[in-house]
Amino acid sequence: MPARTRSQKIGDKGQNQVRERVDAHPHWMCRLQDLDYGVDLEAEYAPAEGDGQRPAGKLLKLQVKATETADVRGQVVHVVLERSFLSYALQFRLPVILVHVDVTTRSAWWLWLQAWALEHEERLASSPDNATITVHIPLHQTLKTGLDYELIDVVAGKHASAVVLALRELADVAASDGQQIKLFRGVLALLDDIEAPNRLRTAEKIIELLVGLGSNPGLWQTSQVIPQIVATVERLGDMFSQEQVLRLVLRYDSYSRAGLEGLATFYDRWPEKARAMDLPSAFRDADVEEVAWYCSAREHYADLSGYQLVMRFSDGKLPQTRFGKLQLRDDDDVSYRLLTKYPTRGNSILLDNLMWAETRAPEASSS
């Protein structure tokens, strides 16, 4: 038979201490989880009513991390977490509370993991490959005071981070449904108002929607995400970096049509910022010459919107059609193709009608 390890014994002891303490509280109930993986306990807010308690249907998930001697330094407790577990905890809609227990002294402290991750997003993003991460819990943040006060606010959704997390979840839902663009724009506006320090992380989450579509998704897939991409760029594009613009547009060794609509919107809404990024060179360095051509054309004809650029090219009224190694086709049908295909292909119809130039001519200035 497999032996019970010392660490398992400490873990079981810590879990029992937490369960007993939560369940003995007049306003809480605690139950074990049936599975032997995932979170350890579930706590339900159940305020006292007469001689008993009234379950309120408001739940917390508790993950217990036990030790024989807590690592206390100054006024904080240092706790090392597996990065994989933190990622797992962030998938929960319910608050996941880390409870760190010193089984020797029976001291216990708590930390709301989703709120902590929200506060430390930059740190987490800067070290994505770290297998572990250390969190610091203030000494005053004991399980007892949490059960009496702060955790009641957390489970009721009154904690300061709860609104941001709820809006982000709503943004994720609306972002995946092209019919919810009005809701999505409203959520973006609210997030922009209350989450200024981390507003760009919202944009990052929306950009993630494109990652699985590949370079040439079906029209129905593209149409589902274009409205959300455009809304995100309109609202948050002033915070974009060159790297994020590239990530929005590039797919493997090609580009995303939906991402290109975001790029077109970026030039429409934030033209000075777009020009300052030197995007033609960036896309050329990424070996996506078609998008480099588009950026050069936008900057050369800076007074035209993306739509106007397509229409003027279709009219044959723009003299410069070559930028870098590519030029717009000059056959008899190009005007017809640009006009008739723009409603379904958007700005990418220009890229569909490019050809390699036979000889290298000096590039037009984009100033």
Side-chain angles (χ1 to χ4, degrees):
M1 291 183 64
R4 185 190 187 196
T5 67
R6 181 178 179 82
S7 61
Q8 288 174 326
K9 185 175 181 179
I10 294 171
D12 290 343
K13 187 175 182 179
Q15 183 172 305
N16 289 334
Q17 287 183 8
V18 172
R19 181 171 179 268
E20 290 171 5
R21 192 171 307 182
V22 175
D23 207 48
H25 195 280
H27 299 314
W28 292 91
M29 298 167 56
C30 192
R31 55 183 70 95
L32 290 168
Q33 301 294 273
D34 293 334
L35 302 177
D36 59 356
Y37 57 88
V39 293
D40 298 318
L41 303 168
E42 183 177 85
E44 180 173 0
Y45 180 56
E49 187 174 84
D51 294 334
Q53 292 176 267
R54 177 176 50 82
K58 299 183 183 298
L59 305 174
L60 301 174
K61 296 292 185 178
L62 307 180
Q63 176 66 21
V64 179
K65 189 170 180 63
T67 183
E68 286 187 305
T69 306
D71 183 5
V72 178
R73 307 179 208 173
Q75 295 301 307
V76 297
V77 185
H78 293 240
V79 187
V80 178
L81 288 179
E82 295 292 326
R83 182 70 175 259
S84 59
F85 177 77
L86 179 61
S87 299
Y88 171 67
L90 297 182
Q91 305 307 309
F92 277 78
R93 291 188 174 184
L94 293 174
V96 178
I97 308 300
L98 171 68
V99 182
H100 187 54
V101 187
D102 183 322
V103 297
T104 303
T105 64
R106 299 182 65 89
S107 301
W109 303 268
W110 67 276
L111 183 72
W112 182 13
L113 289 178
Q114 291 105 320
W116 182 91
L118 184 66
E119 183 180 349
H120 295 85
E121 281 186 318
E122 291 294 335
R123 172 186 168 189
L124 292 170
S126 67
S127 57
D129 298 325
N130 288 0
T132 62
I133 192 153
T134 302
V135 299
H136 305 141
I137 308 177
L139 273 180
H140 64 78
Q141 205 160 287
T142 65
L143 181 59
K144 180 183 184 307
T145 60
L147 294 171
D148 288 342
Y149 304 107
E150 297 103 322
L151 288 174
I152 295 176
D153 286 343
V154 171
V155 80
K158 296 179 181 179
H159 191 279
S161 298
V163 175
V164 173
L165 291 168
L167 285 173
R168 280 195 173 187
E169 182 179 337
L170 187 57
D172 288 345
V173 172
S176 63
D177 185 351
Q179 304 302 312
Q180 299 288 343
I181 186 59
K182 185 176 181 179
L183 172 63
F184 182 71
R185 287 181 180 275
V187 173
L188 278 186
L190 288 172
L191 280 168
D192 202 9
D193 287 341
I194 69 173
E195 199 194 6
N198 295 319
R199 63 201 293 264
L200 195 53
R201 294 299 167 195
T202 300
E204 289 281 356
K205 290 177 178 293
I206 306 308
I207 291 172
E208 286 291 337
L209 289 174
L210 289 176
V211 172
L213 293 182
S215 61
N216 192 27
L219 178 61
W220 71 271
Q221 289 177 292
T222 301
S223 64
Q224 288 295 304
V225 296
I226 285 177
Q228 287 82 351
I229 292 297
V230 169
T232 302
V233 174
E234 287 178 341
R235 172 63 65 169
L236 304 174
D238 61 320
M239 297 288 289
F240 278 20
S241 65
Q242 183 191 85
E243 179 183 356
Q244 286 160 331
V245 174
L246 293 174
R247 186 160 174 258
L248 176 70
V249 179
L250 297 179
R251 291 297 172 272
Y252 309 108
D253 58 351
S254 186
Y255 65 91
S256 158
R257 292 184 187 274
L260 191 73
E261 291 307 305
L263 179 63
T265 304
F266 190 53
Y267 272 105
D268 287 348
R269 178 68 178 84
W270 310 103
E272 293 183 5
K273 186 172 181 65
R275 289 170 63 88
M277 288 183 177
D278 193 17
L279 292 173
S281 296
F283 282 108
R284 191 164 290 119
D285 290 343
D287 293 326
V288 186
E289 193 70 29
E290 302 95 328
V291 182
W293 178 95
Y294 180 79
C295 294
S296 295
R298 289 302 306 263
E299 295 181 16
H300 184 72
Y301 297 111
D303 57 327
L304 301 179
S305 69
Y307 170 77
Q308 290 170 334
L309 186 71
V310 176
M311 294 301 104
R312 293 289 297 276
F313 272 134
S314 70
D315 292 341
K317 295 180 179 179
L318 298 180
Q320 179 68 36
T321 69
R322 177 177 177 178
F323 301 95
K325 301 177 182 179
L326 296 173
Q327 67 183 48
L328 194 65
R329 294 182 181 277
D330 57 2
D331 60 76
D332 294 338
D333 295 330
V334 67
S335 295
Y336 173 79
R337 290 196 299 271
L338 294 180
L339 276 174
T340 59
K341 298 296 185 181
Y342 178 81
T344 57
R345 297 192 187 178
N347 290 273
S348 66
I349 189 58
L350 288 173
L351 281 61
D352 292 341
N353 285 277
L354 295 178
M355 60 181 291
W356 293 99
E358 294 181 1
T359 60
R360 178 133 186 124
E363 292 187 22
S365 171
S366 61
S367 60

